[in-house]
Amino acid sequence: MINRVVLVGRLTRDPDLRYTNSGTSVASFTVAVDRNFTNQQGNREADFINCVVWGKSAENFANFTHKGSLVGIEGRIQTRSYENQQGNRVYVTEVVTENFSLLESKAESDRYRAQHGGSASSAPRQQSQSSFGGNPYGAPANNNQGGYQQDNGYGNGNNDAMQDPFAGNGSKTDVSEDDLPF
């Protein structure tokens, strides 16, 4: 069986870092992922995908990301259900994050945040000390320590010259056959 998810998008809010009764850290967040097509009005719509990350990766994710951060997520889809306080059965589908990458530099992230109404604070946020009330998610099957490497930021859309390093600069790119991988 195969259950793999790869997402690239921006966080819709700061990650919510909590701890289970046993002390395991868990962060929940939502990633906005643009669709590959536009609607009839010419606007690009987005899907808002709920995600969760566990353990030390959750703490790292919460410390190094904020609303508007461009992130890459790798994981698996998980479904679960629980009974709410009104006695109704609630079904949840989410991506359990096994690896993540920060896809822009801190300066680019702060610039994006400032342009879109957030503060560009560089101070790490305080972690929530509230209990998660048990472990409704179940134990993670694979708690790889998510990487937090930084990409070159070509996909951020802030600088046309950085968006595509090979687009229209007027010079030709000389490639020899020795440079080709095949």
Side-chain angles (χ1 to χ4, degrees):
M1 312 295 164
I2 299 173
N3 182 356
R4 300 302 311 155
V5 175
V6 177
L7 303 172
V8 174
R10 292 198 180 271
L11 298 185
T12 62
R13 57 183 165 83
D14 289 346
D16 181 23
L17 180 63
R18 297 178 181 226
Y19 294 89
T20 64
N21 290 335
S22 64
T24 303
S25 52
V26 57
S28 58
F29 56 96
T30 302
V31 177
V33 179
D34 286 340
R35 293 182 178 170
N36 291 333
F37 54 88
T38 57
N39 61 19
Q40 291 178 345
Q41 293 77 30
N43 298 324
R44 190 170 302 274
E45 295 179 356
D47 293 304
F48 299 91
I49 301 168
N50 294 324
C51 302
V52 64
V53 61
W54 289 88
K56 184 67 174 169
S57 293
E59 294 174 6
N60 288 334
F61 192 84
N63 285 328
F64 292 104
T65 62
H66 52 74
K67 178 180 179 180
S69 294
L70 182 65
V71 296
I73 302 296
E74 179 187 359
R76 60 186 170 82
I77 291 179
Q78 179 173 288
T79 59
R80 60 185 173 87
S81 65
Y82 64 92
E83 197 169 297
N84 66 11
Q85 293 177 348
Q86 292 77 28
N88 298 326
R89 174 91 21 217
V90 177
Y91 296 92
V92 178
T93 300
E94 60 204 348
V95 173
V96 177
T97 303
E98 295 169 352
N99 293 299
F100 68 87
S101 296
L102 304 181
L103 298 180
E104 61 189 355
S105 70
K106 177 155 180 31
E108 290 169 329
S109 179
D110 287 347
R111 185 173 37 247
Y112 178 87
R113 190 173 191 189
Q115 289 175 350
H116 293 86
S119 67
S121 170
S122 62
R125 290 182 315 279
Q126 294 294 320
Q127 298 173 355
S128 168
Q129 296 297 322
S130 62
S131 171
F132 207 75
N135 188 347
Y137 297 101
N142 182 0
N143 190 15
N144 294 341
Q145 295 301 313
Y148 36 91
Q149 70 262 16
Q150 294 179 349
D151 197 352
N152 56 16
Y154 287 138
N156 67 3
N158 290 334
N159 184 342
D160 291 338
M162 292 297 290
Q163 191 166 7
D164 185 354
F166 302 106
N169 63 2
S171 64
K172 293 185 178 183
T173 303
D174 187 25
V175 178
S176 74
E177 287 188 25
D178 296 336
D179 296 330
L180 298 176
F182 46 88

